[in-house]
Amino acid sequence: MALTVVHHPGYTIDLPANHPFPMEKFRVLRQLLGERTLACPIEWHTPQPATLESLQRVHTRDYVHAFVHGQLDRAAQRRSGFVWSEALVQRVRLETGGTLLTLEAALATGLACNSAGGTHHAHADAASGYCLINDLAVAAAHALAQGWAERVLIVDCDVHQGDGTARLFEKVPGVFTLSMHAARNFPARKAKSDLDIALPNGMQDAAYLAELTSWLPGVLAAYQPDVVLYDAGVDVHHDDRLGYLSLSSDGLYARDHYVLNLCREAAIPVAAVIGGGYDRDIIALAARHAQLHRAAADVLAAHPRFD
Ligand SMILES: [Zn+2]
């Protein structure tokens, strides 16, 4: 049994020096996972750029057109956190294609991970907070459109609320949005997810895991999803620059292992994305993201059969 991990070198593009987005983390994560021995081997898959048709399932045609052709105005670019470039468009389409491929692999094997993804702030017609296209929403909509699933559950554990995803699926019964985030963090104006678990600043491992374990089994039992999209953002870590929670690296592993194992035992496929994580120490940051892949390999090794 091998763990499918999706990666493309194009996830990383050149940014101006001192840009606050840690663009190198995808490259370093790939390198780190290549060097490590996990509980089962990794099978690497390379995505294609997501088609415009797949993006337009959740974004407006006008927005997709403006994004792809470099017609976002300066305010829109500022809100996105990036200056527009051809390379940026290709990167975003690869990252979204990566989440689509992760979904497909998860449906085939029960569990797969992207080495990027989790751009949950992107709205139907606007970019926000380093998110230009909402890969989680594109994947959920794709699963429904292809008839691969009737009910998709998005479990978003990034420290920031998944406001874009929540708004996109506000009136869509086929997608249940769960967001567990720091209450007093970006975005200032929260959306309404199907379930919001808003946490106080400074929360540590035990209290965080107690919240998660008190909610997730009930949601799985009540909603009975055909597939779970899991955003394993590591900006909940106590050293993160943008998070206000205080998880340790062991806490990240425990969280990811809990989510993946619970779904595995319930025979629900999971497609996981790495989500947010912000630290100037790229090696430390990549190691935090790699907790997801370590947890996934451990869950696969412990439960090789999926049925
Ligand atoms: Zn975040």
Side-chain angles (χ1 to χ4, degrees):
M1 188 84 199
L3 172 66
T4 299
V5 181
V6 174
H7 181 79
H8 197 292
Y11 285 177
T12 295
I13 59 168
D14 290 336
L15 289 180
N18 297 322
H19 192 285
F21 186 80
M23 187 60 88
E24 287 294 319
K25 72 179 185 179
F26 310 102
R27 184 180 61 74
V28 176
L29 174 61
R30 168 66 183 86
Q31 191 182 343
L32 194 153
L33 289 173
E35 291 164 2
R36 279 208 183 157
T37 304
L38 300 181
C40 60
I42 289 177
E43 194 173 288
W44 294 98
H45 289 231
T46 308
Q48 297 291 318
T51 64
L52 300 189
E53 184 196 0
S54 67
L55 308 187
Q56 285 166 3
R57 287 208 183 94
V58 297
H59 295 281
T60 64
R61 288 181 81 86
D62 285 352
Y63 173 69
V64 171
H65 187 272
F67 166 56
V68 169
H69 296 285
Q71 293 165 1
L72 296 177
D73 64 26
R74 213 178 270 192
Q77 290 184 52
R78 203 165 32 240
R79 204 176 158 199
S80 82
F82 297 109
V83 173
W84 185 89
S85 68
E86 290 277 3
L88 180 68
V89 172
Q90 185 68 359
R91 191 204 103 69
V92 167
R93 288 182 62 183
L94 282 171
E95 182 177 43
T96 306
T99 300
L100 287 169
L101 186 57
T102 306
L103 165 72
E104 219 174 317
L107 290 167
T109 67
L111 177 56
C113 302
N114 199 352
S115 57
T119 45
H120 57 175
H121 298 308
H123 298 278
D125 59 356
S128 170
Y130 303 133
C131 303
L132 287 135
I133 292 292
N134 194 317
D135 67 318
L136 291 165
V138 169
H142 189 75
L144 297 179
Q146 297 292 329
W148 295 345
E150 288 178 7
R151 287 178 305 281
V152 180
L153 169 63
I154 299 177
V155 177
D156 188 337
C157 288
D158 190 279
V159 81
H160 304 101
Q161 191 204 32
D163 59 333
T165 324
R167 287 208 177 90
L168 284 165
F169 296 122
E170 210 167 353
K171 296 186 176 74
V172 181
V175 182
F176 188 103
T177 54
L178 183 166
S179 179
M180 183 156 145
H181 52 265
R184 292 164 62 191
N185 206 331
F186 179 90
R189 202 164 60 87
K190 302 284 188 291
K192 195 172 168 353
S193 310
D194 291 304
L195 175 61
D196 283 301
I197 307 168
L199 308 173
N201 284 6
M203 189 176 256
Q204 298 182 358
D205 295 350
Y208 181 95
L209 289 168
E211 277 291 335
L212 184 60
T213 58
S214 77
W215 286 104
L216 192 54
V219 172
L220 290 185
Y223 189 64
Q224 305 237 327
D226 301 309
V227 63
V228 168
L229 304 180
Y230 175 47
D231 183 329
V234 300
D235 40 15
V236 294
H237 193 273
H238 58 72
D239 289 336
D240 194 87
R241 285 197 299 115
L242 300 185
Y244 295 130
L245 301 186
S246 210
L247 268 70
S248 68
S249 294
D250 288 346
L252 293 176
Y253 173 84
R255 176 195 68 176
D256 296 346
H257 189 275
Y258 173 75
V259 172
L260 301 178
N261 193 59
L262 189 70
C263 293
R264 189 81 178 169
E265 288 184 339
I268 303 166
V270 186
V273 300
I274 69 168
Y278 305 89
D279 197 314
R280 296 202 194 282
D281 183 340
I282 293 292
I283 309 264
L285 178 57
R288 277 173 221 154
H289 281 301
Q291 300 287 358
L292 167 69
H293 308 84
R294 182 163 75 90
D298 286 349
V299 167
L300 266 192
H303 306 273
R305 279 178 60 89
F306 183 70
D307 46 28

